[in-house]
Amino acid sequence: MKSPLVTVNILTWNRKADLRRLLTSLTKQSYPNLEAIVVDNASTDGTARMVEDEFPWVKLFILSQNRGVGSWNAGFENATGEYTIVLDDDCFPAQDAIKKMADKFTQEPDLGVVAFRILDRKTSEPWNSVYTPATDSELDWFTFAGCAAGFRTHLIKEIRFPDVFLYEHELEPSIKILDMGYRITLCPDIKAYHKMPESQRQSQKGAYYGTRNDLLFAWRFFPPLTCLRLTMGIILVHGLVALKHRRLISYLKGIFDAIRCLPSAVRNRAAVGENAIRAFLPFLESKKVFGKVRKRARDVAETSFRT
């Protein structure tokens, strides 16, 4: 029986060398039936020419402006595979990852998203975050890491990624997919290697977009009382991180812009079922999260005394 077609949807912006490495890795995959799409977010470093010259089998879509993560939707619109993988341009899958992912989707019809295990490209150490806990066992989870994940194509075509430019774009499609009755499973044996950012590389953008997008997500999808608690928690968590890393201005801008967008968020509120909301509560309201808040508060206090 012929293997189902898998689309690999790659978003890129000015990372020509990283993209070359990723596309080369696709030629070494053990899975035989792939379609590769590259969405170029208005790169200025010759990325598009490199793809055209060195990888003519890739479907290339060149955008006139950088629209951030929302540009992945151009790839979803043109995907023809039964399953679709999203990849950052500085991330590449292990040689057997796509085959394992396709087999898992085939075997589990209620599986909506395969969350890859993300490893540091240099050290092969696992990325241990709320999105991708460093577990050795499969885990039904509430979301995925946007740098490497697989979807049933019909789901992601319908849901799409939100137009939030950067950060936290995984949350909206996750809660919608869970609300449709599908599962999101973190699969530690399905691996991708990611170039890990240096400590301060994304600090200002992370403070702004992370704060803004978390607030807008909470306001759109959660019942009023839960939304109020989440708003307070998000402001506290992001505020402590911003204080520790001296990025308060970007953090405050994120809050201001979220408030400015509040009328639109209210108009576009999307009711989701109790099961989907419950799946998110371990992340948003668990003792583990507030334990981190307390630890960050201690770190901030200690840093303040030292300085």
Side-chain angles (χ1 to χ4, degrees):
M1 186 174 70
K2 187 176 180 181
S3 301
L5 180 65
V6 173
T7 299
V8 182
N9 184 10
I10 303 161
L11 185 63
T12 190
W13 182 68
N14 287 341
R15 286 184 182 155
K16 181 169 63 174
D18 288 325
L19 179 62
R20 179 185 286 117
R21 180 171 185 173
L22 165 53
L23 293 174
T24 300
S25 78
L26 294 183
T27 67
K28 302 175 183 179
Q29 282 289 311
S30 61
Y31 194 76
N33 197 14
L34 295 179
E35 167 188 67
I37 292 175
V38 169
V39 181
D40 183 2
N41 239 340
S43 295
T44 57
D45 66 346
T47 288
R49 176 61 62 87
M50 182 274 293
V51 174
E52 291 171 337
D53 291 347
E54 300 180 26
F55 304 94
W57 46 273
V58 170
K59 296 181 179 179
L60 176 64
F61 298 90
I62 304 171
L63 305 187
S64 59
Q65 61 179 343
N66 184 353
R67 297 182 54 196
V69 296
S71 296
W72 253 307
N73 292 323
F76 297 144
E77 291 165 5
N78 290 278
T80 61
E82 187 169 343
Y83 315 122
T84 294
I85 297 171
V86 294
L87 289 173
D88 277 355
D89 51 10
D90 60 351
C91 185
F92 62 89
Q95 188 174 359
D96 60 355
I98 296 178
K99 183 180 187 306
K100 287 181 176 179
M101 182 208 73
D103 289 346
K104 191 155 189 64
F105 274 128
T106 301
Q107 296 162 7
E108 301 179 25
D110 64 337
L111 181 60
V113 181
V114 169
F116 286 39
R117 184 171 202 172
I118 312 302
L119 304 176
D120 188 313
R121 206 165 81 179
K122 288 184 179 179
T123 67
S124 295
E125 289 296 314
W127 187 4
N128 187 18
S129 73
V130 178
Y131 287 177
T132 56
T135 174
D136 293 326
S137 303
E138 286 192 2
L139 178 67
D140 281 345
W141 204 230
F142 70 94
T143 192
F144 56 91
C147 58
F151 304 83
R152 294 189 184 275
T153 300
H154 73 92
L155 290 179
I156 200 60
K157 276 180 177 283
E158 177 181 347
I159 291 171
R160 300 166 60 88
F161 277 179
D163 194 12
V164 296
F165 199 79
L166 281 176
Y167 300 109
E168 311 306 304
H169 62 283
E170 300 95 341
L171 300 178
E172 181 174 323
S174 293
I175 201 168
K176 288 181 176 179
I177 286 170
L178 291 169
D179 193 51
M180 295 170 72
Y182 289 90
R183 294 165 31 243
I184 299 171
T185 301
L186 174 61
C187 302
D189 65 329
I190 302 178
K191 302 171 183 176
Y193 296 86
H194 190 237
K195 180 189 284 186
M196 296 301 180
E198 303 201 3
S199 58
Q200 296 300 318
R201 179 179 131 193
Q202 300 169 337
S203 61
Q204 299 300 329
K205 290 180 180 179
Y208 170 75
Y209 287 110
T211 303
R212 186 197 70 170
N213 296 342
D214 273 355
L215 287 171
L216 291 175
F217 172 73
W219 296 344
R220 279 199 63 201
F221 289 98
F222 289 87
L225 290 178
T226 303
C227 182
L228 179 60
R229 291 196 299 270
L230 294 182
T231 298
M232 296 170 62
I234 289 166
I235 289 173
L236 178 60
V237 170
H238 284 280
L240 289 170
V241 173
L243 181 61
K244 179 178 179 180
H245 294 286
R246 296 179 172 87
R247 51 200 194 198
L248 280 173
I249 292 177
S250 296
Y251 158 75
L252 292 172
K253 285 181 178 177
I255 294 177
F256 175 80
D257 275 1
I259 294 171
R260 187 174 57 84
C261 296
L262 177 58
S264 175
V266 172
R267 285 195 304 271
N268 293 291
R269 277 183 60 82
V272 294
E274 183 179 342
N275 288 339
I277 291 174
R278 188 183 297 117
F280 265 79
L281 293 182
F283 163 61
L284 296 165
E285 297 190 310
S286 74
K287 293 179 181 179
K288 181 178 180 182
V289 171
F290 289 107
K292 290 181 179 179
V293 171
R294 290 192 293 271
K295 181 179 183 300
R296 286 170 180 155
R298 289 196 299 270
D299 291 344
V300 169
E302 290 170 2
T303 301
S304 300
F305 281 124
R306 286 197 298 269
T307 57

